[in-house]
Amino acid sequence: MRATCWMGKQKVVVENVPDPQILNGRDAIVKVTATTICGSDLHLYNGFMPTMQKGDILGHEFMGEVVDLGRDVVNLKLGDRVVVPFAIACGSCGQCKLENYSCCENSNPTGWMPEKLMGHATCGTFGYSHLTGGFAGGQAEYVRVPFADVGPLKVPANLSDEQVLFLSDIFPTGYMGAEFCEITPRKVIAVFGAGPVGQFAIKSARMLGAERVIAIDPLPYRLRFALDKAGATDVINPEQQNVLEALRDLTADRGPDACIDCVGLEASGHGLHYAYDKIKQSTKMALDRPMAVREAILACRSAGIVSILGVYAGFMDKFPIGALMNRGITIRTGQCHVHRYMKRLLERIERGEIDPSFVVSHHMKLDEAAEAYEMFMAKRDNVMKIILRA
Ligand SMILES: [Zn+2]
Ligand SMILES: [Zn+2]
């Protein structure tokens, strides 16, 4: 089959690789009908995620048709059309029972690695380094889906791939980030980063009833997108305005009730702190550049909530623990517990409350994945989300 392989920093190649096989009774093989590149794939692309190996197959956002099944999967049948959550979860461990699926204790065969780095193991994830199990990803023609009796969600025939594909990650992720904010009608939410996850966080915050949602991003086209398509009420461009001052001006000096960080470890920025972060990261003295989360904490109103969706890998410096503690700010974060949200978000799509296809900006061939990565990375041609098909 054809598959998108990571070959080193900023190098992906679509190659012929062996077809995946059923290895366990609870596996399924899915023939991918649509897949896409995630902002978090860029952390792999740019070489910021440790433990990637040459030839690793990328991709954790995909959907398709079930073409082979292990003997223990009784809830699916051949030909079913499914969307697959990026997090691999067993469905029966202590964490899965608590619906904390991205903390599954059973699905990461290399769990000893995150255990050393982070204290405890994280779940397995498709196409996301050997820290998360080294599973082959879905930017390919076929993919093996472990615990297929738990993860894949059957989707109705009347919804297009574009309408349901993002249930694999960015829609539930953005929604969870908004849900963390305990939104009530008069609340003001600031969303740092107006990439695809940011757009879903904005849209979800509005759907949950936030009065105002402020989008922050250095790219004018993404701010326009946030206003026109996701329902942001205000925008701030950090290239033109001081974010902290602008947020104060928009909130009668108090700060937003909650801030959602949709940026993560490759934040851009200016000034001394940013230069410091860059040096620390490039010399491997820190894994993360915390510009966005730092600003989110400083901007947030006292006793407010900072919801972190942006991916961070390890350790950071100049983290404003003093502001956090003295002003009583709550941090809520996590890789999305996708399984917890898929079904109820599918119901929202079916009821017409949201059409996730609003983020699709480009359609390309799987064989053009290298070009797609390059374009997504460079934010060329007003790119938001690229659908790849074999
Ligand atoms: Zn993703
Ligand atoms: Zn589990």
Side-chain angles (χ1 to χ4, degrees):
M1 68 162 182
R2 305 288 287 161
T4 307
C5 301
W6 186 90
M7 300 304 280
K9 195 178 166 187
Q10 299 194 342
K11 190 161 181 221
V12 302
V13 180
V14 180
E15 288 200 334
N16 290 321
V17 302
D19 287 356
Q21 309 288 331
I22 298 281
L23 301 180
N24 290 298
R26 294 172 71 187
D27 287 350
I29 304 295
V30 169
K31 179 177 200 260
V32 177
T33 55
T35 179
T36 177
I37 303 168
C38 179
S40 65
D41 288 328
L42 294 181
H43 305 320
L44 309 176
Y45 187 68
N46 290 327
F48 286 111
M49 221 56 182
T51 75
M52 285 298 288
Q53 291 173 13
K54 254 191 188 172
D56 283 349
I57 299 173
L58 294 165
H60 60 267
E61 301 181 3
F62 58 93
M63 61 176 297
E65 185 194 327
V66 176
V67 292
D68 201 0
L69 276 174
R71 65 185 180 284
D72 299 328
V73 186
V74 292
N75 57 323
L76 296 175
K77 55 185 190 320
L78 299 184
D80 277 347
R81 182 167 169 250
V82 292
V83 56
V84 180
F86 78 82
I88 301 170
C90 77
S92 49
C93 70
Q95 289 292 351
C96 283
K97 284 211 175 101
L98 293 168
E99 294 201 306
N100 299 326
Y101 297 98
S102 73
C103 303
C104 174
E105 296 159 344
N106 276 334
S107 62
N108 186 350
T110 55
W112 61 271
M113 276 197 268
E115 209 170 293
K116 273 198 173 152
L117 184 70
M118 302 173 191
H120 294 274
T122 55
C123 72
T125 300
F126 294 99
Y128 214 80
S129 88
H130 292 263
L131 273 177
T132 64
F135 290 97
Q139 288 162 11
E141 284 184 277
Y142 297 90
V143 60
R144 179 177 74 94
V145 177
F147 300 120
D149 52 334
V150 178
L153 177 73
K154 280 192 246 184
V155 289
N158 64 321
L159 295 175
S160 68
D161 284 4
E162 289 83 348
Q163 286 176 298
V164 291
L165 170 61
F166 306 120
L167 286 169
S168 59
D169 178 359
I170 60 171
F171 180 18
T173 294
Y175 184 88
M176 184 175 90
E179 197 185 63
F180 280 165
C181 298
E182 295 174 3
I183 293 172
T184 50
R186 270 193 293 280
K187 284 208 172 156
V188 179
I189 311 297
V191 177
F192 287 70
V197 168
Q199 300 292 343
F200 275 106
I202 294 164
K203 194 123 184 156
S204 301
R206 293 289 281 170
M207 206 159 61
L208 292 169
E211 182 174 285
R212 284 169 72 194
V213 180
I214 305 162
I216 302 154
D217 198 279
L219 297 173
Y221 83 87
R222 302 217 291 198
L223 295 178
R224 262 196 319 276
F225 199 98
L227 284 170
D228 297 345
K229 302 206 170 162
T233 55
D234 304 85
V235 294
I236 296 171
N237 185 336
E239 297 289 321
Q240 292 157 7
Q241 286 166 285
N242 177 301
V243 174
L244 296 181
E245 281 170 21
L247 283 173
R248 257 194 221 115
D249 289 347
L250 286 168
T251 55
D253 252 8
R254 292 165 61 223
D257 296 292
C259 295
I260 309 178
D261 166 11
C262 303
V263 179
L265 64 84
E266 286 184 73
S268 60
H270 294 290
L272 219 57
H273 275 308
Y274 179 65
Y276 182 87
D277 294 344
K278 270 240 134 65
I279 292 165
K280 284 280 236 187
Q281 195 183 44
S282 60
T283 54
K284 308 262 185 235
M285 289 165 74
L287 280 173
D288 304 291
R289 294 205 300 261
M291 208 66 192
V293 69
R294 191 186 284 141
E295 256 181 1
I297 291 169
L298 296 178
C300 188
R301 79 156 158 82
S302 294
I305 296 169
V306 171
S307 161
I308 305 175
L309 301 177
V311 172
Y312 293 94
F315 300 91
M316 59 171 62
D317 208 343
K318 300 221 179 303
F319 183 76
I321 186 74
L324 196 70
M325 189 275 150
N326 288 290
R327 296 201 296 107
I329 290 166
T330 301
I331 296 244
R332 301 190 69 183
T333 186
Q335 292 282 1
C336 185
H337 305 297
V338 194
H339 305 57
R340 195 199 284 173
Y341 296 97
M342 284 178 109
K343 200 156 178 282
R344 55 175 136 129
L345 294 182
L346 176 65
E347 285 163 10
R348 283 188 186 262
I349 298 169
E350 287 184 290
R351 289 198 297 266
E353 290 169 33
I354 180 169
D355 181 351
S357 67
F358 79 100
V359 292
V360 178
S361 61
H362 292 75
H363 292 267
M364 292 172 81
K365 293 249 167 256
L366 179 65
D367 274 328
E368 298 171 309
E371 199 184 324
Y373 265 89
E374 195 274 316
M375 174 198 246
F376 193 57
M377 173 64 210
K379 315 278 185 294
R380 260 196 290 114
D381 197 21
N382 292 355
V383 65
M384 189 56 72
K385 206 71 180 165
I386 305 167
I387 302 269
L388 296 172
R389 284 195 167 94

